[in-house]
PDB file of all heavy atoms in Angstrom:
ATOM      1  N   ILE K 150     -10.190  43.774  53.695  1.00 92.00           N
ATOM      2  CA  ILE K 150     -10.640  43.666  52.310  1.00 92.00           C
ATOM      3  C   ILE K 150     -11.719  42.605  52.137  1.00 92.00           C
ATOM      4  O   ILE K 150     -12.595  42.739  51.270  1.00 92.00           O
ATOM      5  CB  ILE K 150      -9.444  43.402  51.372  1.00 92.00           C
ATOM      6  CG1 ILE K 150      -9.838  43.753  49.929  1.00 92.00           C
ATOM      7  CG2 ILE K 150      -8.956  41.957  51.490  1.00 92.00           C
ATOM      8  CD1 ILE K 150      -8.684  43.997  49.014  1.00 92.00           C
ATOM      9  N   THR K 200       0.829  71.882  44.756  1.00 87.00           N
ATOM     10  CA  THR K 200       1.630  72.643  45.724  1.00 87.00           C
ATOM     11  C   THR K 200       2.808  73.353  45.069  1.00 87.00           C
ATOM     12  O   THR K 200       3.430  74.216  45.685  1.00 87.00           O
ATOM     13  CB  THR K 200       2.155  71.711  46.827  1.00 87.00           C
ATOM     14  OG1 THR K 200       2.884  70.620  46.223  1.00 87.00           O
ATOM     15  CG2 THR K 200       1.008  71.131  47.648  1.00 87.00           C
ATOM     16  N   LYS K 234      -3.656  80.049  33.448  1.00 85.00           N
ATOM     17  CA  LYS K 234      -4.552  79.719  32.337  1.00 85.00           C
ATOM     18  C   LYS K 234      -5.937  80.339  32.541  1.00 85.00           C
ATOM     19  O   LYS K 234      -6.404  80.504  33.667  1.00 85.00           O
ATOM     20  CB  LYS K 234      -4.686  78.199  32.174  1.00 85.00           C
ATOM     21  CG  LYS K 234      -3.377  77.510  31.843  1.00 85.00           C
ATOM     22  CD  LYS K 234      -2.779  78.046  30.551  1.00 85.00           C
ATOM     23  CE  LYS K 234      -1.429  77.403  30.248  1.00 85.00           C
ATOM     24  NZ  LYS K 234      -0.793  77.985  29.063  1.00 85.00           N
ATOM     25  N   PHE K 338      24.332  54.425  28.048  1.00 79.00           N
ATOM     26  CA  PHE K 338      23.828  53.175  28.617  1.00 79.00           C
ATOM     27  C   PHE K 338      24.983  52.188  28.776  1.00 79.00           C
ATOM     28  O   PHE K 338      26.096  52.436  28.352  1.00 79.00           O
ATOM     29  CB  PHE K 338      22.731  52.589  27.730  1.00 79.00           C
ATOM     30  CG  PHE K 338      21.433  53.346  27.795  1.00 79.00           C
ATOM     31  CD1 PHE K 338      21.186  54.395  26.935  1.00 79.00           C
ATOM     32  CD2 PHE K 338      20.465  53.009  28.724  1.00 79.00           C
ATOM     33  CE1 PHE K 338      20.002  55.103  26.985  1.00 79.00           C
ATOM     34  CE2 PHE K 338      19.263  53.709  28.787  1.00 79.00           C
ATOM     35  CZ  PHE K 338      19.038  54.755  27.916  1.00 79.00           C
ATOM     36  N   GLN K 446      21.534  56.928  49.923  1.00 94.00           N
ATOM     37  CA  GLN K 446      20.384  56.104  49.549  1.00 94.00           C
ATOM     38  C   GLN K 446      19.284  56.988  48.962  1.00 94.00           C
ATOM     39  O   GLN K 446      18.964  58.041  49.516  1.00 94.00           O
ATOM     40  CB  GLN K 446      19.849  55.366  50.776  1.00 94.00           C
ATOM     41  CG  GLN K 446      20.873  54.412  51.399  1.00 94.00           C
ATOM     42  CD  GLN K 446      20.376  53.843  52.713  1.00 94.00           C
ATOM     43  OE1 GLN K 446      19.411  53.088  52.733  1.00 94.00           O
ATOM     44  NE2 GLN K 446      21.027  54.201  53.799  1.00 94.00           N
ATOM     45  N   LYS K 531      18.810  54.635  -2.530  1.00 89.00           N
ATOM     46  CA  LYS K 531      19.665  55.560  -1.780  1.00 89.00           C
ATOM     47  C   LYS K 531      20.621  54.782  -0.893  1.00 89.00           C
ATOM     48  O   LYS K 531      20.307  53.701  -0.405  1.00 89.00           O
ATOM     49  CB  LYS K 531      18.807  56.494  -0.915  1.00 89.00           C
ATOM     50  CG  LYS K 531      17.932  57.452  -1.700  1.00 89.00           C
ATOM     51  CD  LYS K 531      17.130  58.338  -0.746  1.00 89.00           C
ATOM     52  CE  LYS K 531      16.259  59.320  -1.516  1.00 89.00           C
ATOM     53  NZ  LYS K 531      15.452  60.179  -0.595  1.00 89.00           N
TER      54      LYS K 531
END
Side-chain angles (χ1 to χ4, degrees):
I150 199 160
T200 55
K234 298 301 177 184
F338 287 90
Q446 299 172 66
K531 294 180 179 179

